[in-house]
Every structure is written in C-alpha cells, then in structure tokens.
Amino acid sequence: MEWFRTWLLGIMSAALIVSMVYALVPKGTMRSIAQFTGGLVLMIVILHPLLQFDPSSWKLQYQDISAQIDEQIAVYKEDHQEELCAIIEEETAAYISDKGSELGIDCHPIVTARLRDGVPCPDEVTLDTDWNAVLARCIAKELDIPAENQHWQGSN
C-alpha cells in the first residue's frame, strides 16, 4: 500500500508544479507549449507504475498466494472432517440409544467414525449393556457397523 501512497503523492506534486508553471507562463504560444509539456509530464507520472510493471513478479506472487490458499483449504478441510466426524458420532450414538429405548434397552453407546473414501462414517460402537440380537442386527443393517465392530460390555 506504500507504493500507492507514493504514486498518489507524485501525481499531486506534479499537478501542483504544472499548475504553478501555467500561472507563470504568459498567454500565447509559450502557454500552449507549457500546457502540452505539462500534460505529458502528468501522463508520465500517472503511468509510471505501468512502466515499471514486471509481469514475472506478479506470477511469482500469484504462485505464492495460490500455495497459501491451497494450504488453508487443506486445514479447513481437515477441521471440517473432524467436526463432521464428531457430529456423526454423536448423532449415531443418539440413534442407537433411541433404537435401544424402543426395544426396552437402556444403553449409552460410544461411536467411533472413520473416513471411507474421504467421507466420515460410523465404524465402531461400544455399548454399556448386554448383547441383544435385535439391536445388534439393527446396528449392522441400518448403520453398516458389522458385528465384529460392535463391542458389548455386558455379559453374553
């Protein structure tokens, strides 16, 4: 932003000097030459940043910024997946608990979600109750958590 302030200050300074020259030059041919010359000076001052423009520096900056954006997207994606895993674990546990209540089973499941093809899915469940065949089938069928990933802490 410093370059913008310097550029703007240069334009204002050039305009002030050209205005003073116009005021000092008498009318006639000299004034028209002074106006033409003053116009060129102002145009050069205004276009000066374009004359110093180096496209290769912008490309490098773009590549740096693009790399930073990609890194930030990866961080957000990872954070989002962790949050999504936590939500899926909570909601799946609540579903199992509700299903158990329907069957007359008081349980407090703990669900672990894992990524499958980049998507978090419930993978494992630990229940604090005795094994129940109906609930075990519901968990396997409806939530795709196989029997080997169902851990029942009660006696069989």
Side-chain angles (χ1 to χ4, degrees), residues 3-18 37-52:
W3 69 268
F4 181 73
R5 194 162 79 184
T6 304
W7 176 67
L8 204 52
L9 187 60
I11 292 174
M12 291 184 338
S13 301
L16 181 64
I17 292 169
V18 168
T37 306
L40 286 176
V41 168
L42 278 173
M43 188 171 64
I44 290 171
V45 169
I46 291 171
L47 297 177
H48 187 263
L50 293 178
L51 299 174
Q52 294 181 339

Side-chain angles (χ1 to χ4, degrees), residues 41-135:
V41 168
L42 278 173
M43 188 171 64
I44 290 171
V45 169
I46 291 171
L47 297 177
H48 187 263
L50 293 178
L51 299 174
Q52 294 181 339
F53 178 68
D54 182 17
S56 63
S57 69
W58 279 81
K59 186 176 182 180
L60 291 176
Q61 288 178 353
Y62 172 77
Q63 290 172 347
D64 293 343
I65 291 171
S66 178
Q68 289 174 353
I69 289 171
D70 291 342
E71 288 174 17
Q72 194 63 42
I73 287 172
V75 168
Y76 288 148
K77 195 176 212 178
E78 185 178 319
D79 289 347
H80 175 70
Q81 283 184 340
E82 289 174 9
E83 290 175 15
L84 191 56
C85 276
I87 291 169
I88 288 172
E89 289 170 353
E90 289 174 18
E91 294 296 321
T92 305
Y95 177 80
I96 293 171
S97 181
D98 289 345
K99 189 59 104 171
S101 293
E102 288 176 14
L103 298 171
I105 302 168
D106 182 33
C107 64
H108 302 90
I110 298 171
V111 177
T112 304
R114 304 242 193 281
L115 292 178
R116 292 184 197 162
D117 298 325
V119 178
C121 298
D123 183 62
E124 192 171 352
V125 63
T126 302
L127 295 110
D128 63 347
T129 187
D130 292 336
W131 182 81
N132 180 284
V134 176
L135 185 56

